Amino acid sequence: MSYYLQLLLNGVIAGSVYALFAVGLTLVYGVFRFINFSHGELITWGAYLTLMFYTPPFSWPLFLSAIPAMALTAVIGFSQDFFIYRPLRRGNPITLLIASIGLSYMLRNAVRFIWGSDLRTFDFPPARGMEFGGYYVTGIQLLMLAAAVFFLAILYLGLTRTLWGKSLRATADNLELAAIMGISMPRVSASVWILASVFAAAGGILLALDTNLEPVMGATNLIKAFAAVLLGGAGNVWGALLGGLFIGIAENLGVAFFSPGYKDLVAFALIFLLLLFRPRGLFGLLTGVR
Amino acid sequence: MDYILHVLILALIYSIFAVSLNLELGYAGLYNFGHVAFFGIGAYISALLSRAGMPVEGAMLCAMAGAGIAGGLLAVPALRVTEDYFGIATLVFAEMFRLVCLNERWLTKGPMGLPGIPRPAWIARGVDGLPVYLILTALAAAGVFLFVRRLTGSPFGRALRVIREDEHIAQAFGKNVLLLKIKTIVTGSALAGLAGTLWAHYISYISPADFTLTETILVVLCVVLGGRGTHWGPVLGAFAVIFFGEAVRFLPIPHELHRYVAPLQGMVYGGILVLIVLKMPSGMIAEHRRNGA
């Protein structure tokens, strides 16, 4: 029994990071109505930029390295919209998909170009897990959970308690109507991209602390984020949160039943089942930011 | 000389692959981002069957059929959703295929891959067989090209273009949109399977690492660069992409910079894809649109 509870605990921690990835993806979909295939690269860039500031020549402490890394990731996120997606938005919506898939490939290879294709780590000494009543948690896992809760709490307060959040939600609900009501679209679009990038970067950093860095980390986790977004109903922020948690738990519990090599298949299979039976998402009934 | 034959064979195989994707992406407007899965399914089926002793010709036909059936099986659930979601579903399908190949070691030998895939009995092994293999590939490519040209010029092809522009209009004209799309994907997948089987028997070794997102990007690039929805576009695109990739090998690059070559090439491919969509959306050959027709 305690074995399953331990897996559940691991699942919640992994899921909270997936939720960070999924929030940005679903927000972009909610406002711009397109699935950004290069969202995964923001995860990778966030992690690698942190590594860059953490290692020589900078050698800054970890928390200090994360801040400029997230800021630079936000610059990447904002620029991809400004230079590529915005000019394409008026045309055939489907060209955006080709552009985003091309962009993701370009950004991933840029990571390989700069930092190489090998696995990298933050080189923390292997820490003994702390024991809480028979369950083991590492310090990094606690940090992951705390950071995820922190970011998601800020998001919740921002979206529900501020005028800025209100304008974002209004735009996600109906872009034209929001523009007619005088909400500044450039501001909303900048906010969405910055939010999506910072959350993706934060998730990428946490993931890299727990595991390692590799150029394909973004692409692998993008699929988890897709699954989370589909679970929650595209465009629904709270749905994406729950979806991310669900995927994390399902994956980790799945390890108890089949070979760990198939861990990633859980998210894939979920996507298929959802598309087959509930194209509008499992939590589509919840009223979220839509 | 042998090297030129080798590049030509690769370019022709990629032409078949690109033409098959163009049927879906260019004519029917189906954004299949997992087309490499069918290339891979074709390659694996014919590799496994021919290694088990089946004549290569039979294995190739089985591979096409298998890829077509797999396409149908994917199309039925994936077509319940449109556009973006179809892209996700196909991308995920390709990753699932790769994961299964990596993990089912009893069948695919996992990451080790399948070595020693034979060529047809009447084609010599090694470089001696290159001219004959080139003829075989060229005949296959010509056959696929003519078949797709015929198909897209038929009422079926015209219906596909209507679906691409506006599904509701196609429906209003009494076309069974879902069935037409399924037929398109089955055909496109079977042709991708043909490209995959030609490739597997030519290269003689396959592994899951050959069927990644990189190959998807390459083939999408072939189609988009050459010109979506045109007969010659994907062929031209495939030759351009393959020749570019091979030409890079001849650049005088110092040994210590070698690790930068592949990523840079990837950046160029991705960057070209973005640039074409931004600056030259119709590609090198623009689709001929008849007004009022």
Side-chain angles (χ1 to χ4, degrees), chain A residues 35 94 105 113 234 262 276, chain B residues 31 80 84-85 104 214 260:
Chain A
I35 297 274
I94 220 108
Y105 196 61
F113 184 81
Y262 276 130
L276 198 54
Chain B
Y31 278 67
R80 291 169 60 94
D84 310 26
Y85 292 117
E104 297 302 318
T214 306
Y260 294 104

Side-chain angles (χ1 to χ4, degrees), chain A residues 29 33-35 37 83-84 87-88 92-99 101-106 108-110 112-117 219 222-223 226 230 233-234 259-265 267-269 271-272 275-277 279, chain B residues 25 29 31 33 73-74 76-78 80-81 83-85 87-93 95-96 99-101 103-104 213-217 220 224 228 259-274 277-278 281:
Chain A
Y29 184 85
R33 297 282 154 205
F34 93 101
I35 297 274
F37 276 89
F83 291 109
I84 298 167
L88 288 175
N92 186 346
I94 220 108
T95 53
L96 278 169
L97 290 190
I98 298 188
I101 206 164
L103 186 67
S104 98
Y105 196 61
M106 190 172 90
R108 187 172 338 143
N109 277 288
R112 288 172 62 202
F113 184 81
I114 301 172
W115 289 286
S117 305
L222 181 65
I223 293 189
F226 279 155
L230 285 176
S259 133
Y262 276 130
K263 197 174 170 185
D264 290 338
L265 203 68
F268 298 166
I271 292 179
F272 259 88
L275 289 178
L276 198 54
F277 296 111
Chain B
L25 192 147
Y31 278 67
F33 289 148
L73 289 179
L74 169 69
V76 173
R80 291 169 60 94
V81 293
E83 297 174 355
D84 310 26
Y85 292 117
I88 297 182
T90 48
L91 184 88
V92 166
F93 178 75
E95 282 298 295
M96 272 169 90
L99 211 61
V100 170
C101 287
N103 282 286
E104 297 302 318
L213 194 63
T214 306
E215 282 68 35
T216 299
I217 296 276
V220 170
V224 176
R228 280 173 279 164
R259 95 164 181 77
Y260 294 104
V261 175
L264 197 62
Q265 214 173 334
M267 284 167 74
V268 170
Y269 287 150
I272 292 180
L273 205 50
V274 174
V277 173
L278 273 175

Side-chain angles (χ1 to χ4, degrees), chain B residues 224-272:
Chain B
V224 176
L225 174 71
R228 280 173 279 164
T230 62
H231 297 309
W232 285 104
V235 179
L236 190 65
F239 272 81
V241 168
I242 295 289
F243 281 0
F244 171 77
E246 293 295 326
V248 170
R249 291 172 196 266
F250 291 101
L251 293 179
I253 296 161
H255 188 70
E256 63 271 20
L257 295 182
H258 266 206
R259 95 164 181 77
Y260 294 104
V261 175
L264 197 62
Q265 214 173 334
M267 284 167 74
V268 170
Y269 287 150
I272 292 180

Side-chain angles (χ1 to χ4, degrees), chain A residues 239-265:
Chain A
L241 284 183
L242 287 177
L245 273 178
F246 185 89
I247 304 256
I249 293 168
E251 257 184 21
N252 278 279
L253 283 180
V255 173
F257 302 102
F258 40 79
S259 133
Y262 276 130
K263 197 174 170 185
D264 290 338
L265 203 68

Side-chain angles (χ1 to χ4, degrees), chain A residues 227-243:
Chain A
V229 167
L230 285 176
L231 260 174
N236 185 331
V237 171
W238 313 135
L241 284 183
L242 287 177

Side-chain angles (χ1 to χ4, degrees), chain B residues 1 14 54 91 139 142 149 161 171 174 177 187 236 268 292:
Chain B
M1 188 59 204
Y14 255 81
M54 190 187 240
L91 184 88
L139 286 176
R149 195 167 78 168
R161 275 183 292 244
Q171 259 165 352
V177 171
T187 315
L236 190 65
V268 170

